[in-house]
């Protein structure tokens, strides 16, 4: 049920927004933050906005513990922060823009992994529904 709710409120609307921007000629990059594991942060896992303390380098602070857990990975901090800094500085996070044909997405963990259409079967299941 949690996966369905996550798709309904967050993943699918973000995908539809990227699709609409690409169809209208806009340039959009998609990413998915895949850390920390639910065991590390009280069951939240990679919930909405959990990446923010990683991006700003504050994941180690006590105030970030509910999101980042007690021992956030320095490698995840470096990856998330590096991608966001590259995008702000250069206008490019380091991978190809999202299009309806490729659906290129950066997966942020201890390293950046670039994939086309991650979880494509799940995404396609929402076609015509949301």
């Amino acid at each position: 049920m949690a996966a369905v709710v996550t798709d309904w409120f967050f993943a699918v609307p973000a995908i539809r927004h990227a699709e609409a921007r690409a169809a209208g000629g806009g340039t959009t990059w998609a990413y998915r933050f895949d850390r920390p594991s639910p065991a590390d942060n009280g069951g939240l896992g990679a919930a909405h906005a959990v990446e923010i303390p990683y991006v700003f380098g504050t994941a180690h602070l006590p105030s970030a513990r509910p999101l980042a857990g007690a021992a956030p990975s320095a490698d995840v901090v470096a990856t998330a922060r590096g991608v966001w800094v590259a995008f702000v500085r250069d206008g490019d996070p380091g991978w190809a823009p999202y299009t309806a044909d490729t659906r290129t997405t950066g997966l942020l963990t201890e390293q950046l992994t670039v994939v086309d259409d991650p979880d494509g079967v799940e995404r396609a299941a929402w076609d015509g529904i949301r």
Side-chain angles (χ1 to χ4, degrees):
M1 185 59 163
V4 170
V5 170
T6 296
D7 281 356
W8 181 266
F9 285 104
F10 299 105
V12 176
I15 289 167
R16 298 298 181 245
H17 184 78
E19 291 169 344
R21 283 188 44 85
T27 303
T28 299
W29 285 269
Y31 77 91
R32 190 177 76 198
F33 188 74
D34 284 349
R35 291 293 185 268
S37 108
D40 294 333
N41 65 351
L44 286 176
H48 179 67
V50 165
E51 76 271 26
I52 301 303
Y54 289 85
V55 169
F56 287 97
T58 59
H60 66 285
L61 296 177
S63 60
R65 188 167 286 174
L67 296 178
S73 166
D75 291 337
V76 176
V77 170
T79 299
R81 191 173 179 95
V83 164
W84 277 46
V85 166
F87 184 73
V88 170
R89 183 188 59 227
D90 306 326
D92 183 337
W95 62 89
Y98 188 97
T99 69
D101 293 331
T102 63
R103 301 180 186 280
T104 304
T105 303
L107 305 181
L108 308 184
T109 62
E110 289 77 10
Q111 62 187 18
L112 169 64
T113 305
V114 180
V115 299
D116 288 343
D117 202 12
D119 301 322
V121 173
E122 288 180 21
R123 177 202 45 79
W126 289 97
D127 288 350
I129 298 170
R130 179 134 176 99

